[in-house]
PDB file of all heavy atoms in Angstrom:
ATOM      1  N   LEU W  29      32.251  81.061 137.152  1.00  0.00           N
ATOM      2  CA  LEU W  29      31.159  81.928 137.633  1.00  0.00           C
ATOM      3  C   LEU W  29      31.038  81.605 139.081  1.00  0.00           C
ATOM      4  O   LEU W  29      30.557  80.482 139.417  1.00  0.00           O
ATOM      5  CB  LEU W  29      29.983  81.481 136.892  1.00  0.00           C
ATOM      6  CG  LEU W  29      28.808  82.447 136.693  1.00  0.00           C
ATOM      7  CD1 LEU W  29      29.334  83.736 136.106  1.00  0.00           C
ATOM      8  CD2 LEU W  29      27.794  81.779 135.620  1.00  0.00           C
ATOM      9  N   ALA W  30      31.479  82.452 140.018  1.00  0.00           N
ATOM     10  CA  ALA W  30      31.610  82.121 141.399  1.00  0.00           C
ATOM     11  C   ALA W  30      30.584  82.617 142.285  1.00  0.00           C
ATOM     12  O   ALA W  30      29.957  83.679 142.123  1.00  0.00           O
ATOM     13  CB  ALA W  30      32.921  82.596 141.977  1.00  0.00           C
ATOM     14  N   ALA W  31      30.267  81.759 143.331  1.00  0.00           N
ATOM     15  CA  ALA W  31      29.259  82.068 144.352  1.00  0.00           C
ATOM     16  C   ALA W  31      29.665  81.524 145.716  1.00  0.00           C
ATOM     17  O   ALA W  31      30.421  80.636 145.842  1.00  0.00           O
ATOM     18  CB  ALA W  31      27.879  81.571 144.045  1.00  0.00           C
ATOM     19  N   ASN W  32      29.246  82.197 146.778  1.00  0.00           N
ATOM     20  CA  ASN W  32      29.475  81.683 148.124  1.00  0.00           C
ATOM     21  C   ASN W  32      28.790  80.319 148.296  1.00  0.00           C
ATOM     22  O   ASN W  32      27.625  80.048 148.033  1.00  0.00           O
ATOM     23  CB  ASN W  32      28.704  82.668 149.114  1.00  0.00           C
ATOM     24  CG  ASN W  32      28.777  82.234 150.527  1.00  0.00           C
ATOM     25  OD1 ASN W  32      29.164  81.125 150.821  1.00  0.00           O
ATOM     26  ND2 ASN W  32      28.367  83.192 151.434  1.00  0.00           N
ATOM     27  N   LEU W  33      29.694  79.326 148.693  1.00  0.00           N
ATOM     28  CA  LEU W  33      29.188  77.978 148.868  1.00  0.00           C
ATOM     29  C   LEU W  33      27.944  77.874 149.711  1.00  0.00           C
ATOM     30  O   LEU W  33      27.213  76.934 149.665  1.00  0.00           O
ATOM     31  CB  LEU W  33      30.322  77.140 149.433  1.00  0.00           C
ATOM     32  CG  LEU W  33      29.986  75.694 149.947  1.00  0.00           C
ATOM     33  CD1 LEU W  33      29.587  74.794 148.800  1.00  0.00           C
ATOM     34  CD2 LEU W  33      31.181  75.062 150.718  1.00  0.00           C
ATOM     35  N   TYR W  34      27.849  78.818 150.754  1.00  0.00           N
ATOM     36  CA  TYR W  34      26.758  78.730 151.728  1.00  0.00           C
ATOM     37  C   TYR W  34      25.542  79.581 151.395  1.00  0.00           C
ATOM     38  O   TYR W  34      24.740  79.795 152.263  1.00  0.00           O
ATOM     39  CB  TYR W  34      27.286  78.948 153.178  1.00  0.00           C
ATOM     40  CG  TYR W  34      28.533  78.135 153.480  1.00  0.00           C
ATOM     41  CD1 TYR W  34      29.788  78.728 153.792  1.00  0.00           C
ATOM     42  CD2 TYR W  34      28.381  76.740 153.517  1.00  0.00           C
ATOM     43  CE1 TYR W  34      30.928  77.845 154.053  1.00  0.00           C
ATOM     44  CE2 TYR W  34      29.455  75.952 153.791  1.00  0.00           C
ATOM     45  CZ  TYR W  34      30.704  76.512 154.057  1.00  0.00           C
ATOM     46  OH  TYR W  34      31.738  75.664 154.354  1.00  0.00           O
ATOM     47  N   SER W  35      25.548  80.154 150.185  1.00  0.00           N
ATOM     48  CA  SER W  35      24.439  80.975 149.798  1.00  0.00           C
ATOM     49  C   SER W  35      23.558  80.257 148.804  1.00  0.00           C
ATOM     50  O   SER W  35      23.869  80.148 147.643  1.00  0.00           O
ATOM     51  CB  SER W  35      24.872  82.301 149.310  1.00  0.00           C
ATOM     52  OG  SER W  35      23.824  82.957 148.539  1.00  0.00           O
ATOM     53  N   GLU W  36      22.402  79.653 149.181  1.00  0.00           N
ATOM     54  CA  GLU W  36      21.474  78.949 148.287  1.00  0.00           C
ATOM     55  C   GLU W  36      21.001  79.930 147.224  1.00  0.00           C
ATOM     56  O   GLU W  36      20.807  79.602 146.037  1.00  0.00           O
ATOM     57  CB  GLU W  36      20.305  78.339 149.020  1.00  0.00           C
ATOM     58  CG  GLU W  36      20.653  77.208 149.810  1.00  0.00           C
ATOM     59  CD  GLU W  36      21.240  75.985 148.964  1.00  0.00           C
ATOM     60  OE1 GLU W  36      20.867  75.896 147.811  1.00  0.00           O
ATOM     61  OE2 GLU W  36      22.079  75.200 149.553  1.00  0.00           O
ATOM     62  N   LYS W  37      20.836  81.205 147.577  1.00  0.00           N
ATOM     63  CA  LYS W  37      20.384  82.142 146.622  1.00  0.00           C
ATOM     64  C   LYS W  37      21.409  82.402 145.431  1.00  0.00           C
ATOM     65  O   LYS W  37      21.056  82.351 144.305  1.00  0.00           O
ATOM     66  CB  LYS W  37      20.209  83.520 147.345  1.00  0.00           C
ATOM     67  CG  LYS W  37      19.188  84.390 146.812  1.00  0.00           C
ATOM     68  CD  LYS W  37      18.912  85.471 147.800  1.00  0.00           C
ATOM     69  CE  LYS W  37      18.590  86.832 147.121  1.00  0.00           C
ATOM     70  NZ  LYS W  37      18.603  87.971 148.055  1.00  0.00           N
ATOM     71  N   ALA W  38      22.685  82.502 145.892  1.00  0.00           N
ATOM     72  CA  ALA W  38      23.690  82.743 144.918  1.00  0.00           C
ATOM     73  C   ALA W  38      23.905  81.462 143.970  1.00  0.00           C
ATOM     74  O   ALA W  38      24.109  81.586 142.736  1.00  0.00           O
ATOM     75  CB  ALA W  38      25.007  83.172 145.473  1.00  0.00           C
ATOM     76  N   ILE W  39      23.743  80.241 144.660  1.00  0.00           N
ATOM     77  CA  ILE W  39      23.950  79.035 143.894  1.00  0.00           C
ATOM     78  C   ILE W  39      22.764  78.941 142.790  1.00  0.00           C
ATOM     79  O   ILE W  39      23.087  78.563 141.704  1.00  0.00           O
ATOM     80  CB  ILE W  39      23.930  77.858 144.840  1.00  0.00           C
ATOM     81  CG1 ILE W  39      25.205  77.793 145.710  1.00  0.00           C
ATOM     82  CG2 ILE W  39      23.757  76.477 144.102  1.00  0.00           C
ATOM     83  CD1 ILE W  39      25.169  76.881 146.897  1.00  0.00           C
ATOM     84  N   ALA W  40      21.553  79.349 143.215  1.00  0.00           N
ATOM     85  CA  ALA W  40      20.434  79.230 142.311  1.00  0.00           C
ATOM     86  C   ALA W  40      20.675  80.186 141.112  1.00  0.00           C
ATOM     87  O   ALA W  40      20.379  79.905 139.944  1.00  0.00           O
ATOM     88  CB  ALA W  40      19.207  79.631 143.048  1.00  0.00           C
TER      89      ALA W  40
END
Side-chain angles (χ1 to χ4, degrees):
L29 209 51
N32 176 351
L33 170 65
Y34 305 119
S35 166
E36 286 300 328
K37 207 167 144 190
I39 289 167

